[in-house]
Amino acid sequence: MDQEDGQPSVSEDEKSREEEIREEWEREQDLLKQKLISWDIEEWQEPGGALLRYVGGVDVSFVKGDDVTACASLVVVNFPELEVVYEDCRLIQLTAPYIPGFLAFREANFLVECFDRLKSIQPDLVPQVIIVDGNGILHPREFGLACHLGILLDLPTVGVAKKLFQVDGLEKNTAHTDKVKELQKGGDTFALVGESGKVLGMALKSSDASTNPVYVSIGHRISLNTAVWLVRRCCRYRIPEPTRQVGL
């Protein structure tokens, strides 16, 4: 029906449905967020990480020119050698709508399936921690993909983003650029403090040769200090080896 007939148009119907989905996802996200653990809880997280054996990396990458077909990937590397010991990549169809702030509802379940396959094929290689190509609490609702996935899997997760997610007043402005220039060597950092006063993550110069930092935020079952230590130890280049290998 046309709007002149007093009936909602198709676009209005779609908008209404999207709002219903958003409200449903907000409720589910709020429930999951109550389970978030933002401190160290694992034995391997003791200083030095002597008990850490396997680190996972995950990503969902799109087929060029297609916003529905994607590849859900999981790579596991040994630690500290950073050699690939397991790979899984499957083409998927993302049928859930894209709603900003709720990316995990499109992608997380496919990544869980990657872990289910790993557990059934080689359970001895299940990683003790996962690096996610994306964000954790550095997110508009402080609950990005790394948080969501960590809770679904009940595993420590770390978000590592290549670009600054501009939330809570964080901006890639002159002040931010000046701080980046002050990062002189691999391992140098500065805190990402929002207008709320919360430390949402760290900018990390992940290798001596890298020009731009990566942005580290906690996902689940890990502290920010341990997350930064882990990412630095996993970097031969700018991007941590588990997620760099996912992209190769």
Side-chain angles (χ1 to χ4, degrees):
M1 292 273 186
D2 294 332
Q3 285 181 291
E4 288 80 357
D5 295 325
Q7 297 297 322
S9 68
V10 172
S11 61
E12 288 175 333
D13 286 342
E14 291 173 346
K15 186 176 180 180
S16 176
R17 176 56 182 155
E18 181 176 305
E19 188 57 37
E20 288 177 5
I21 293 172
R22 176 188 292 274
E23 291 174 358
E24 178 185 340
W25 286 353
E26 283 181 352
R27 290 191 294 270
E28 186 173 344
Q29 199 175 68
D30 287 340
L31 290 173
L32 290 171
K33 192 174 180 180
Q34 293 175 18
K35 302 177 182 179
L36 191 68
I37 297 173
S38 57
W39 57 88
D40 292 334
I41 199 171
E42 308 287 336
E43 290 185 2
W44 67 261
Q45 293 165 339
E46 294 293 327
L51 298 178
L52 183 57
R53 294 288 180 266
Y54 297 112
V55 181
V58 296
D59 185 30
V60 174
S61 55
F62 286 89
V63 174
K64 189 173 182 179
D66 189 337
D67 61 358
V68 174
T69 305
C71 183
S73 302
L74 164 65
V75 164
V76 180
V77 302
N78 55 14
F79 186 89
E81 297 86 355
L82 304 180
E83 299 165 337
V84 175
V85 296
Y86 178 87
E87 296 178 85
D88 181 15
C89 179
R90 300 290 176 96
L91 283 178
I92 59 173
Q93 299 293 309
L94 295 167
T95 56
Y98 170 71
I99 300 177
F102 300 91
L103 180 68
F105 288 93
R106 291 195 90 196
E107 300 184 356
N109 286 340
F110 294 107
L111 297 174
V112 170
E113 289 175 5
C114 290
F115 278 86
D116 288 342
R117 287 191 293 271
L118 171 57
K119 290 174 184 177
S120 65
I121 298 169
Q122 289 185 276
D124 55 314
L125 294 181
V126 172
Q128 295 153 281
V129 59
I130 307 157
I131 296 177
V132 178
D133 185 3
N135 292 286
I137 66 168
L138 181 57
H139 179 269
R141 289 173 54 81
E142 296 182 23
F143 199 81
L145 176 60
C147 302
H148 195 121
L149 183 65
I151 287 175
L152 292 183
L153 294 173
D154 196 28
L155 285 171
T157 49
V158 178
V160 180
K162 294 181 280 292
K163 296 180 180 179
L164 175 66
F165 204 161
Q166 301 186 73
V167 298
D168 193 13
L170 292 171
E171 294 183 49
K172 194 172 181 181
N173 51 21
T174 302
H176 180 84
T177 301
D178 289 343
K179 288 182 179 180
V180 169
K181 290 177 181 177
E182 292 173 2
L183 302 176
Q184 297 297 311
K185 63 182 185 303
D188 286 354
T189 62
F190 64 84
L192 301 170
V193 183
E195 289 180 346
S196 64
K198 294 181 180 179
V199 177
L200 298 175
M202 297 285 280
L204 166 69
K205 185 178 176 70
S206 48
S207 73
D208 290 335
S210 60
T211 302
N212 297 313
V214 293
Y215 298 96
V216 181
S217 56
I218 62 169
H220 184 47
R221 297 175 71 94
I222 196 168
S223 69
L224 183 56
N225 284 343
T226 301
V228 170
W229 170 85
L230 174 71
V231 173
R232 175 71 178 106
R233 287 293 303 274
C234 285
C235 285
R236 291 173 173 164
Y237 308 100
R238 180 187 176 217
I239 306 302
E241 206 62 16
T243 47
R244 192 182 78 87
Q245 291 292 335
V246 163
L248 294 180

